[in-house]
Structures are given as structure tokens and as C-alpha cells.
Amino acid sequence: MSTELWARTIEDLAPDIRAGRVSPVALTESVLDRIKQHDGTLLSYIHLAEDALKSAQEAEREIRDDRWRGPLHGIPVGIKDNYTTGDMPTRAGTEVPGFSFPREDANAVARLRAAGAILTGKTRMHEFAWGTVTPPTRNPWDVGRVVGGSSGGTGAAVMAGLCTAGMGSDTGGSIRIPASLCGTVGLKGTFGRASRAGVVPHTWSLDVAGPLTRSVADSALMLNVLAGFDPADPSCQDRPVPDYTEALGQAVQGLRVGVCRNHFFGRNQVEVENAVEEAIRDLAAQGMTVHEFKIPNLEYGLGAIFAVELASSTAYHDVSLRDGKTRHFEPDVRSLVELGRFVTGVDYLKGEQLRRVLMADFRKAFEEVDVIVAPTTALTAWAHDAKTLEIAGEQESVLAASWRLTYPFNLTGLPAISMPCGFDRDGLPVGLQIAAKPFDEAMVLRVAHAYERTHDWAARRPQL
Amino acid sequence: MSTELWARTIEDLAPDIRAGRVSPVALTESVLDRIKQHDGTLLSYIHLAEDALKSAQEAEREIRDDRWRGPLHGIPVGIKDNYTTGDMPTRAGTEVPGFSFPREDANAVARLRAAGAILTGKTRMHEFAWGTVTPPTRNPWDVGRVVGGSSGGTGAAVMAGLCTAGMGSDTGGSIRIPASLCGTVGLKGTFGRASRAGVVPHTWSLDVAGPLTRSVADSALMLNVLAGFDPADPSCQDRPVPDYTEALGQAVQGLRVGVCRNHFFGRNQVEVENAVEEAIRDLAAQGMTVHEFKIPNLEYGLGAIFAVELASSTAYHDVSLRDGKTRHFEPDVRSLVELGRFVTGVDYLKGEQLRRVLMADFRKAFEEVDVIVAPTTALTAWAHDAKTLEIAGEQESVLAASWRLTYPFNLTGLPAISMPCGFDRDGLPVGLQIAAKPFDEAMVLRVAHAYERTHDWAARRPQL
């Protein structure tokens, strides 16, 4: 494992920073050098913080003065461009002029700052989070490949060491898809676990704020800071926040691994399916029992999430539609926002009703299992110009395939993580998805950490 | 006060029934006689229970055997025709063939039966609860006038002694409007307080199940039975249920009465406005303080509730639209159900978002007040053929005027009661509306009871 500062995890750095063995300034310099060196190619940032080094110096002073704030103190963190920031502009991925987002910290940003994190800048995203590609960001494992999206800038930056951890947001898979395609860990908590106040909305009833990191433990450390009540987000729930690091290292023997055999399997790239099947065998080898089941109603999920996302994002862009700004959106995003006008209230309600049905189906499934394990994406990172690919013997749109396995956990609001579970023959990472009951992020992290301990996938770094 | 059994309240009857001084059979016979005598004119029932007397005999036996179930034991209760019942057909107010509703008791019906109530029959309602008139039911105070709706059959039956209490449902005012126009008490609890499982849906996010009664205490007794968790209704909340009768008779001195001066005042019939102003003075005379405020966003409420109701009811009737059944609906209901197809998802979401805004506005108002007091309806019962009336100097559609003051408490989900607070020069009752914070039905009942104690409005009975 590389000992270069930019390549280390929070978990690994924090004790050294606290003890004065690692300087936050040196760490930040290492990350900024890395950005200078590689972001001309990767294009993971849209804006760099001007005062990152100054913040690092301040952190260093505080720690020297025995005012260590916690594990994120002095850690360089990249922020997806749909989180508003007091000291940096916010564009939510659009280049269309005329949008003006508040110049104040989103709740998550304020929490990270209060925890002592060093904000490195704003990372690139698919315009208004409406897509799974993040043009023009390049994948650190193969710059000819996409990074996934919409939190693609964060995915690339975290993997390539252009920050130690980063923020994403997930409406239909936007944290987990770039995590899968870039080989990072990406955690979408339960809907309502963390505040979205200050995150430019995509779909109010689906959007989740969460981290991308380089280890499961790092996701637990980030969630410790992000989780909690905020009255400014009407969906944010007032529930106790456990210390998520307590889930790490706990025994998994006897836990029940659920495998939903329809929808999630049988339409994936062979190497994806093989890697995930092997991961399931590995969990079984650790003493977990495997339970197979089916949720036939997932067949209707795509229509439901499309109706809900289209209507919601179009409601958000209603003013822009009327004043003509959407004409200047990227063609793919413009189509979706304009198409959303034709979703009826009835369509929307039927989508929401299917969500209730699926929540009940998954609740029933979770009577028999502790986690559900599946691939995160049906395919590994595709070439920038690919529109369709052959997957399991059929030509399929890469966009359709990209979120098929992630959106069920948005429709149901369940917590789900993506973590690497192997690499395909092209050296591209394969993502393993682990979901649990509502507000049981601790269970997700416990099983993910147990898997991670027995593999070195997360420690691999791309050659740049 | 009449001592005839059919004219008495639950509060008054229950101790006598328990002690064997009043026979449930005699009470039920008195009510059935009353139905025989007057329902040919009033048309409050669509179906009469065949076994009411048998149930009353059973209740009488149980009570004689020292198995008194509680205050509803042996009390004749009418059920709105949108509650499914195991022993009676359900039509939800429609005469169109081809609908088949489950032949099983709705949760509320099962609770009433378990509490020992004698079901008298199914009461008439506006077709699918989509209106505020309830044709052809006639108002006991003047048979040339409407009863309001959609729970109009229950309103007429409760007032005229064709049952002792009854069930209604309230989506935009459907319990409180007939309560106001018929002079009964009508209680819409907080959204989520009582189960709607088995109530034919109008609008999932607004529908509330609740009682119409002849006194505030009777509403408390009914709510004691109806309130509580039911997993079969996804909106029903799992919260403790207090004994609502404990709120009755509690001191009100020092409580703060809120009066929202916009929206609720200035566009009412003069006698309505005068009666409510006098009621506010009466509450002040009992030591309550009066606080005036405004909620300007109520201006947008009508658009919001229309968007939400239209989209939701049309989603419910989607299959009927497709198979042509809606062509046979009553013209007013058919128009609304067909119109609902043109509500977009964006319209619906903007309606839901205004609800959030109004909830926040009312939450803020409730920082300064304990209850909000207003008229229930801007007008008293209108003639069957009236389409518009002059109200406060302007011609207005009676339908538009009828629910203007009730729907704000549906949009916000707040508990609200209607109770009589006077009679106009034509001898028609005027309704007083009292609302409180979410799940504070006890406060509603406490203030309503304090008002009722000092007036005899609720004791008046129409000459039939």
C-alpha cells in the first residue's frame, strides 16, 4: 500500500494527524499537487477552493494546541457542485448563466467544516444531477472511460487521490454508480438520515446526501458527521445517531445474506455477475447464511422512478422552462426536463404507490435476512462514446443499464453501499452493493467491513 | 331537552345503559321508529341494517351479564356508505353498477362493533365523496335545503335522531360541512390519528375518518374508539391514544384563541360572521385571550387542494375511466374525475409543496395560540336548487363557498371540529370551527366543550 499522503484513508491518517505525526498542511499539499498533476486529464473539479492551504494551517494550529476536533480534522474533502458553499460558487453542474444559488454552506458542508475538514473544491457532476455519465470527467482506471454519475467528479477525485473523501448525492444511484465505476466506496444512507438542506434539489422524495470514500471505515467516519436531524430539511428525521465506527469489526457469523434473484441477476456483464457471486460465497465462508428470494414487483420499478423523477425535476425547473433557460441545457438533460411536463399527476401518484408496495415487499424480505447483496451496476465503466453495449447477450442502452440495480434502493429509501469486489479483464472495478433495513446503516457497514477485511480491492490505486 | 331516547346523547345514555335504566333494545327501537317516520322525507340512509335489533338484544344481554364494553355499548351508529361493512353492501354513494367493494368491516367499523355499537345502516353521501351537497338528502331544519356533504346522510341522521352518532370522512371538509349545515358536532382528527383502512379512497394524502355527534363529549367518546394505530393504513401513526374525555371540563382560562383575519373572515354571510364573532367574545369572557394574525399564503390554498384532490381521485378512478364507468357518474362528479387527468405531476407537486409551506405557517401561528377559531362554512344551508348566492356583497358559487374555510385544515392535516354556535334568521344552524396543533385533539375538545357548556345550541332539535 502506498504511503504517499494523498493515497491514505481517513481511518489511517486520523490517528497520525491527531498525534502530530502527519501534518494537515503536508497532506493538503500532497492532494493539491496531485490535483495540479492529474486534474488537467481527469477533470474532476469544476472549482478549486482558494483557501485550502490556509484552512490546513488553521487545522494544524488547532491540533497542535490540543484542539483536535475528531477524525475529519485536517482531512481534504471534495464537495459535489450541487452543495451550496459560502466561500465557493455553486453551479449544480450547469454552465447556463442566470442561476444564482445561495452563497451559504449547505448543512452537510457546515457539518464537515465544523468537524475540521479541509474543503478542496467543488467536484464536477452531471448537469443538475440528471444523468449517470458526468461529462467530461475521465475515469482514473482508463481515461477513455466514463466515471459514472451524477457524482462522477467526486468518484474520480477520491479514487485518484485528488481528495481523501468527498460528497455525492444519490437520487437513482448517483453516489453508488460512480463509486462502482471508479472503485471507491459510496454510501447512500436511509432517506431522512442526513440533511439535504442546501443541496440543489433533483427529486425531493428521493434525494440523499452521502459520502464517497476509499474504505468502509471512512464512510462510517463521514456518516458520523453527516447523520442527524435538521429542521431545514422537511424529510430529515429526528432519530438518535449511533457511532457508526462501532459497527466495524463486529462478528458477522450467523448473519443472513439475502440475494434477490430476479431483477438484480441475469442481466449483468459476465465478469460483474461472477465477481458478485464470488463475494456472496466469501460472505458465506465467513459464516453468514445465504437466503434467496424474489420481488416480482420490481418489474414496475423503472416506470415508477421515471414518473417520480421526471415530475419532480420538472417541478423544480418550472421557472427555467418558462423563462427559456432549459433551451440551453445539455440535450440529454433538456429532454428529460421537458419530457417531465407530460407526466400526469396520476402517473406520479401511481409511481408513489408502487413505492409503498415495494417498501412492503422489502420489509417482508428483511424479515428473513439482515442484508441484501447485489451488483451495484450491471456493467463496468464504459467508453465515453458508447451508447449501447451487449449485456448478457442483449444490446442495451448503457444509461438504462447503469442505474437498474441502484434505483430500487431509492424507491424504497433503504440504506445501501457500493464497494469494490473485483476487477474485470480490462482492469476496471466491479461494484458490490449491500443494503439493509431503514436506518440500519450500521448493519450495512458491518457486513461491508467484514467483506473488505478479507480483500485488498479497496487498497488498489490506478496508475496515472 | 327532550327525554325521548332517540334525542339523547351517548354521554347521557351510557351511564343509564350501563346501569340497566335504559334498554339498548328500546333505544334502537326508538331510533328505528324515527327512521321509519322521517327517512322517507330526509333520505339520510341508503341501506338499513337488517340485524340492528338483534345486535341491540345481544348488547342488552351482555350488559345484563355484567359485560358492559364501554360508553358505545348499545348505541345506534350510522355508517357513511364509503366504509366497507361485512354485513351490508357498500356503494360509496354511486349507483353505477360494476363496482365491488370488499365485504368486510373497515377498521373503524370493526372498532365500533368491538365497542358494542349497534350499526343502524349505511348513510347517503355525495357520489365517491366528490362534492358538498349529498343529493337527495334533505336538511332536518328545512327540507328545502341541502345537508352539505359529502357525509350529508350522517349529518341529517344524527341531527334528526335517526342514529345517536355516525361516521363521516373528511377530505376537504366532508365531515365539518354537513356538521355545520345540520347543526351537529363533527370532528376531523389529525391526519394519521385514525385508520382509513376500508374507507373507499378519495385522496390518500387528505382523507380522514371521523365522527358526527350531537355533543362535544360524544365526539370524544367516539374518538376514544376510533383513534389508534393500524398498519393497514400506511398513513396511520403509531402514537399513544389519550382518554379524550379527560379534556372535557378542564379549565380554559388563560388559553390563547387565535383568529386568522385573512381568508376566514370578511367573505361570510353576515349572520355567520356575527355568530362566530360572538363566540370568540364568549371564549374571551371565559378568560381566554384573543390573538389575531394572518396567513397570506392561504391565498394559494384552493389551487393546491384542487390539484391534489383531482390528481388523487382520478388516480383512484383510473380503471373506471378506462373501462367507461365514469360516463355514468353524476355529471358534477364525472367532470371532476375527468378533469383530474389534466393535472400534471408538476401541478400535483406544487400543491404538495404549498402544503408544506402552510404547515410551517400554521406551526408558527401555533407558537402564539392554543386553538384557531373560525366559521366552518361561509354560509348556512342553501336551497337545493341554488347554484350561486350573494355572500358579503358578491355572487359566489355555493360549492366554492362551502369548503373555503374547511380545506385549510385538510391541507395542513390539523385536527378541527365543527359545532353549532347559533342560528340564522331562517332558523338554520351556524358552524363554529376550532382547530389545534397536530395530534392535539384534546385541546380542540377542551375548548369546544368549554364553549358548549355555556350555550344550548347543541341541545336544540328541529321540528319534523
Side-chain angles (χ1 to χ4, degrees), chain A residues 256-331:
Chain A
R256 301 161 301 171
V257 176
V259 181
C260 179
R261 279 293 168 200
N262 69 309
H263 192 88
F264 292 99
F265 290 86
R267 280 176 69 198
N268 304 312
Q269 285 178 342
V270 175
E271 290 176 278
V272 167
E273 192 131 337
N274 288 347
V276 171
E277 295 288 6
E278 196 174 321
I280 294 167
R281 284 192 295 273
D282 290 351
L283 291 172
Q286 293 199 39
M288 297 181 71
T289 57
V290 177
H291 300 257
E292 306 203 338
F293 61 94
K294 289 186 177 179
I295 296 188
N297 288 316
L298 282 168
E299 178 186 349
Y300 310 106
L302 184 65
I305 197 154
F306 250 127
V308 173
E309 286 204 13
L310 285 167
S312 302
S313 81
T314 301
Y316 174 73
H317 290 291
D318 189 41
V319 173
S320 299
L321 273 163
R322 280 188 273 135
D323 71 12
K325 274 212 228 43
T326 54
R327 282 201 300 273
H328 309 294
F329 285 9
E330 293 299 311

Side-chain angles (χ1 to χ4, degrees), chain A residues 204 234-235 308 310-316 318-319 322 340-341 343-346 348-350 353 356, chain B residues 204 234-235 308 310-316 318-319 322 340-341 343-346 348-350 353 356:
Chain A
W204 298 272
S235 296
V308 173
L310 285 167
S312 302
S313 81
T314 301
Y316 174 73
D318 189 41
V319 173
R322 280 188 273 135
R341 293 180 303 171
V343 173
T344 67
V346 171
Y348 178 85
L349 279 158
K350 287 181 178 285
Q353 288 180 314
R356 279 280 173 197
Chain B
W204 297 273
S235 296
V308 173
L310 284 166
S312 302
S313 80
T314 301
Y316 175 71
D318 189 41
V319 173
R322 280 187 273 135
R341 293 181 302 171
V343 173
T344 66
V346 171
Y348 178 85
L349 279 158
K350 287 180 178 285
Q353 288 179 315
R356 279 277 174 200

Side-chain angles (χ1 to χ4, degrees), chain A residues 3-147:
Chain A
T3 52
E4 300 210 55
L5 290 175
W6 58 260
R8 294 171 63 180
T9 61
I10 307 173
E11 177 192 13
D12 175 42
L13 287 162
D16 284 348
I17 290 175
R18 182 179 196 177
R21 289 188 299 267
V22 164
S23 142
V25 174
L27 170 60
T28 302
E29 280 173 342
S30 161
V31 164
L32 294 179
D33 277 355
R34 188 84 181 158
I35 292 172
K36 199 173 296 169
Q37 215 179 327
H38 296 291
D39 211 42
T41 303
L42 296 179
L43 301 169
S44 65
Y45 282 92
I46 186 77
H47 181 90
L48 290 174
E50 285 168 19
D51 57 357
L53 267 181
K54 214 174 119 232
S55 303
Q57 286 156 1
E58 171 71 16
E60 192 153 322
R61 247 194 318 276
E62 285 187 5
I63 294 163
R64 202 188 306 125
D65 293 352
D66 223 16
R67 287 183 288 137
W68 185 70
R69 300 190 190 191
L72 298 196
H73 207 170
I75 300 292
V77 173
I79 306 293
K80 186 177 180 180
D81 190 33
N82 58 353
Y83 287 76
T84 63
T85 36
D87 57 350
M88 293 184 276
T90 298
R91 304 277 336 145
T94 192
E95 289 175 21
V96 178
F99 288 97
S100 116
F101 300 103
R103 265 292 186 130
E104 57 190 36
D105 283 349
N107 180 279
V109 172
R111 284 169 175 266
L112 290 168
R113 267 197 230 275
I118 311 301
L119 304 199
T120 49
K122 304 295 278 284
T123 58
R124 289 184 190 259
M125 56 184 281
H126 210 110
E127 191 178 26
F128 286 111
W130 233 144
T132 61
V133 176
T134 317
T137 307
R138 299 194 177 108
N139 196 307
W141 295 97
D142 176 348
V143 294
R145 308 271 178 163
V146 302
V147 286

